[in-house]
Amino acid sequence: MYTGLQHLHSYIAYLVLLGLIISFLAALAGLFGNRTFSDKDRKLSLLGLIPVHLQWVIGVILYFVSPRGLPNFSGEAMGDSVARLYMLEHPLTMIIAVVLITIGYSRAKRMLGKNAGFKSIAIFYGIGLALILLRIPWISWPGN
Ligand code: HEM
């Protein structure tokens, strides 16, 4: 089960980045093009939200079964930057990113017909994407 989840988490990471980049760029285009945020735009922003939510659920399960996750949690592992990344920094930062992205989507959903919907997506997805990029374990992904 562990290997299957690890591979799934690794593959969905591509969808997460792709979905967030597309949603973020579309929101910037709408924002600066002075368009109103329509239901079609809301649906497009789901491209960023859905893979992130899927990844979050898989990540939490992985955290309990991976030897790099909770089973590795110790004071000693805290002193090792790679171990700390997997057992603490990556999960915590990703959870914050997921919460921000969800807030951005929920706010935008209530702003249909207004340009501000694009602003909500651009700001919250933008910060979420930056956090994800900062704490992806680039040492092991996308493979070396
Ligand atoms: C939502 C955005 C997330 C993204 C984009 C993401 C991405 C990644 C990537 C690319 C890897 C490296 C995979 C590899 O080396 O093949 C990884 C590993 C890992 N992630 Fe995430 N992750 C996310 C969320 C989470 C969350 C919320 C948790 C836990 C609460 C989590 C726990 C883990 C663990 C434990 C590993 C190490 C797995 C192992 O190799 O044993 N991830 N993640």
Side-chain angles (χ1 to χ4, degrees), residues 104-131:
Y105 174 80
S106 309
R107 287 177 81 246
K109 210 170 64 173
R110 286 182 259 112
M111 293 172 175
L112 289 176
K114 297 178 190 155
N115 179 260
F118 287 119
K119 195 171 175 183
S120 180
I121 299 287
I123 292 175
F124 286 88
Y125 279 38
I127 298 172
L129 177 61
L131 289 176

Side-chain angles (χ1 to χ4, degrees), residues 2 5-7 9-14 16-17 20 51-70 85-87 90-98 101 132-133 135-143:
Y2 163 57
L5 281 175
Q6 192 191 27
H7 284 135
H9 196 66
S10 172
Y11 292 134
I12 294 177
Y14 288 101
V16 168
L17 294 185
L20 283 177
V52 158
H53 275 200
L54 199 63
Q55 185 72 324
W56 179 84
V57 174
I58 296 164
V60 171
I61 304 170
L62 195 53
Y63 189 64
F64 289 97
V65 298
S66 164
R68 289 162 156 173
L70 190 63
L85 173 69
Y86 284 107
M87 71 178 189
H90 171 72
L92 198 63
T93 312
M94 298 301 132
I95 286 172
I96 295 170
V98 175
I101 290 164
I132 290 174
L133 290 174
R135 278 297 173 268
I136 270 185
W138 296 108
I139 31 163
S140 66
W141 190 83

Side-chain angles (χ1 to χ4, degrees), residues 8-87:
L8 198 62
H9 196 66
S10 172
Y11 292 134
I12 294 177
Y14 288 101
L15 295 182
V16 168
L17 294 185
L18 195 70
L20 283 177
I21 290 169
I22 293 173
S23 307
F24 176 63
L25 292 179
L28 284 183
L31 179 65
F32 294 112
N34 256 328
R35 290 187 30 245
T36 55
F37 188 72
S38 69
D39 199 51
K40 219 171 129 190
D41 298 309
R42 180 191 66 79
K43 283 182 185 147
L44 186 70
S45 66
L46 284 176
L47 269 187
L49 187 78
I50 293 170
V52 158
H53 275 200
L54 199 63
Q55 185 72 324
W56 179 84
V57 174
I58 296 164
V60 171
I61 304 170
L62 195 53
Y63 189 64
F64 289 97
V65 298
S66 164
R68 289 162 156 173
L70 190 63
N72 192 33
F73 210 107
S74 68
E76 197 188 322
M78 272 302 185
D80 179 325
S81 65
V82 173
R84 198 174 56 236
L85 173 69
Y86 284 107
M87 71 178 189

